[in-house]
Amino acid sequence: MTLTANRPLAAEFYARDTVAVARDLLGCVLESRIGAEAAIGRIVEVEAYVGPNDAAAHGYGNKKTRRNAALFGPPGTGYVYFIYGMHWCFNAVTEADGHPSAVLIRSLEPVSGIEVMCRRRGVTKPQLLCSGPARLCQALGIDGSVNGGSLQAGPVRILGGGCTGITVSVGPRIGISRAKTRPLRFVERDSAWLSRPAP
């Protein structure tokens, strides 16, 4: 497997079918430069949320609110939301401006800035740094202050190139109460960094 990511993915990358974007994000690199500290991880697990007809999506029914407004933004926008009164989750907005679809980044393989991640998370075991959407946000310093930011020019970016030689497994999304059986979770099958085992 060869890592070749080096520049931000263009907005056009995200202006496609959400499922295709989700698959293609595996192996790409999520980079945060927040508070003058860099933290970088390779994407190994994602979930697709496919717009107003997806009962599990925040844009279900095309209902735009103050909380989910960034989800209705242009493709290549970061959508960050707060859950359970304690955790942040990070998404890449896809398809067309005004169409509420996105890819949730669920897990990363830590690549750089690991000491920064350990300090932010308060743990030392590498597998606990970014194995889950809330953990990776904490490790990379991602919170509501970057909601709505550009994934090309903001402090949180996704770098392209990705990896070759990835085997992808597909299964149901995790931790939702509606549309639970839809096969919209995509993982790098042999990764040791997933939030849950490969489907």
Side-chain angles (χ1 to χ4, degrees):
M1 185 182 301
T2 304
L3 182 63
T4 59
N6 55 14
R7 63 182 61 183
L9 294 168
E12 290 76 17
F13 172 90
Y14 302 96
R16 302 181 292 138
D17 175 74
T18 304
V19 171
V21 174
R23 282 181 170 272
D24 290 348
L25 281 172
L26 292 176
C28 292
V29 169
L30 181 62
E31 172 191 77
S32 76
R33 295 186 178 274
I34 294 172
E37 295 183 304
I40 299 171
R42 191 172 64 82
I43 299 170
V44 297
E45 180 181 355
V46 298
E47 290 178 345
Y49 289 85
V50 294
N53 296 318
D54 183 349
H58 288 183
Y60 182 53
N62 248 348
K63 295 177 181 177
K64 186 176 181 180
T65 66
R66 182 176 179 181
R67 179 186 186 227
N68 71 5
L71 178 61
F72 288 78
T77 296
Y79 169 47
V80 183
Y81 61 84
F82 203 49
I83 58 170
Y84 308 130
M86 64 179 74
H87 299 307
W88 296 100
C89 294
F90 175 80
N91 303 256
V93 174
T94 58
E95 301 201 27
D97 195 353
H99 182 83
S101 56
V103 177
L104 171 68
I105 310 301
R106 280 200 58 89
S107 288
L108 307 174
E109 175 184 347
V111 171
S112 181
I114 293 174
E115 289 184 3
V116 173
M117 295 184 194
C118 287
R119 186 180 73 247
R120 286 171 171 164
R121 287 273 301 122
V123 299
T124 57
K125 186 177 180 181
Q127 282 78 10
L128 296 178
L129 292 177
C130 299
S131 57
R135 287 176 174 177
L136 74 86
C137 281
Q138 186 178 27
L140 271 66
I142 295 172
D143 61 21
S145 67
V146 299
N147 183 41
S150 165
L151 298 183
Q152 293 77 51
V156 179
R157 308 184 303 167
I158 299 180
L159 310 183
C163 292
T164 59
I166 291 176
T167 301
V168 178
S169 288
V170 184
R173 294 172 294 189
I174 295 170
I176 56 175
S177 58
R178 296 184 290 183
K180 293 189 290 185
T181 61
R182 297 185 70 176
L184 293 173
R185 176 184 176 229
F186 303 92
V187 308
E188 181 180 330
R189 181 183 299 170
D190 299 323
S191 175
W193 306 93
L194 304 179
S195 67
R196 305 263 183 97

